[in-house]
Amino acid sequence: MVEPAAPKNASTVILIRPETSGRKFEVFLTLRPPEMNFMGGVYVFPGGSVEEGDYSEEMLMRCRGLSRTEAQQILGGELSPELSIGHCVAAIRELFEETGILLSVTENGEPMDTRQGKIKNSLADKRKSLVEGSINFPLLLESEGLYCDVSRPVYFFHRVTPEKYANRFDARFYLAQLPPDQSPLSCSEEVVKSLWMNPEGALDRAQRGEFPLMPPTLLVLRTLAAFDSWRSLCGQYQLR
């Protein structure tokens, strides 16, 4: 009997924003290239594997907003403090790599202001370098005088890929509100296209067979669809 593959630690970010009316809300979904070996041609939330660099001492020194012990408690105390906060870092890094959205603060704890053209252009260039592997995440942040704001992603739930699959992930899902002065990329190295859609709309299109989704994504959308308003969602998860 073949032993099931060991699941890899992973983090996923559900980026959300209020609808124009302010009553309901939308989620950000990305379409993976069809030629990709894993989940090619499927709509997903940004995310990926937790890398060792996500919980290195160098990286943890560039984090603000949550202590290692607090991160460990949030995830139920099963993981080490460093790996616990590393999941949050991985969520922020993957979100930046795939969408260009960066959840960060300055030295004095103020939100990053991307309305300044200089920093916006600089981060766009360095995002590409990060994806290519010519710069690491803590060095990128340090070069801009920024810190990873690990208080922004809010823990949502935990899912482990069933043993019958060859590619398995021990994934933590996070909710994160779109920063008011940032806009996600329409496409990137791992994204063919992207879109905003309310959970009900995504589920309806998936039901009609025109919107390919994996079981974890469907579960997230069904859970979010149960909230009747943006206000109730923010109240439940204390989003900011």
Side-chain angles (χ1 to χ4, degrees):
M1 182 176 179
V2 179
E3 288 292 324
K8 300 176 183 177
N9 289 314
S11 291
T12 296
V13 187
I14 307 148
L15 193 64
I16 54 177
R17 71 177 185 185
E19 288 185 334
T20 306
S21 66
R23 173 167 172 74
K24 294 288 286 182
F25 57 90
E26 299 173 314
V27 298
F28 187 71
L29 288 155
T30 63
L31 178 63
R32 293 171 67 88
E35 65 273 13
M36 292 189 76
N37 293 329
F38 183 66
M39 292 199 293
V42 174
Y43 281 94
V44 298
F45 300 113
S49 298
V50 178
E51 301 174 356
E52 287 188 13
D54 294 326
Y55 51 96
S56 67
E57 194 61 32
E58 179 188 22
M59 183 67 245
L60 297 181
M61 292 296 291
R62 301 302 302 182
C63 292
R64 293 290 185 273
L66 197 67
S67 72
R68 304 178 196 190
T69 302
E70 288 170 334
Q72 182 184 45
Q73 292 172 344
I74 288 171
L75 296 188
E78 299 175 0
L79 306 175
S80 70
E82 291 75 20
L83 182 55
S84 296
I85 206 165
H87 273 83
C88 199
V89 170
I92 292 172
R93 176 183 53 77
E94 288 284 349
L95 180 65
F96 180 57
E97 289 182 0
E98 296 183 25
T99 74
I101 299 298
L102 182 57
L103 305 179
S104 66
V105 292
T106 61
E107 176 73 42
N108 60 7
E110 294 296 321
M112 176 184 66
D113 186 359
T114 57
R115 291 173 296 182
Q116 302 177 33
K118 184 177 179 181
I119 190 172
K120 186 175 182 179
N121 294 334
S122 179
L123 284 174
D125 291 337
K126 289 176 181 175
R127 186 199 68 81
K128 294 179 181 178
S129 297
L130 180 64
V131 172
E132 293 168 356
S134 58
I135 189 174
N136 64 27
F137 197 30
L139 184 58
L140 182 154
L141 293 167
E142 183 180 4
S143 68
E144 299 293 340
L146 297 172
Y147 292 81
C148 201
D149 186 0
V150 290
S151 69
R152 290 295 293 273
V154 178
Y155 181 58
F156 190 56
F157 73 72
H158 177 207
R159 179 181 172 88
V160 180
T161 309
E163 294 184 354
K164 64 180 180 179
Y165 293 99
N167 289 309
R168 301 183 64 216
F169 294 93
D170 187 344
R172 269 72 181 182
F173 286 70
Y174 294 84
L175 290 172
Q177 185 174 347
L178 176 70
D181 60 338
Q182 296 188 50
S183 299
L185 299 169
S186 59
C187 62
S188 64
E189 293 79 1
E190 297 183 25
V191 176
V192 174
K193 67 177 180 179
S194 59
L195 51 80
W196 288 98
M197 183 176 292
N198 62 48
E200 296 87 349
L203 289 169
D204 182 60
R205 290 183 62 180
Q207 181 68 28
R208 297 201 303 266
E210 58 188 42
F211 204 66
L213 299 171
M214 296 297 285
T217 309
L218 285 166
L219 179 58
V220 167
L221 292 170
R222 288 173 184 142
T223 302
L224 293 176
F227 287 88
D228 61 359
S229 68
W230 170 248
R231 182 177 180 179
S232 63
L233 180 67
C234 290
Q236 176 70 30
Y237 291 99
Q238 300 181 344
L239 296 168
R240 63 179 182 84

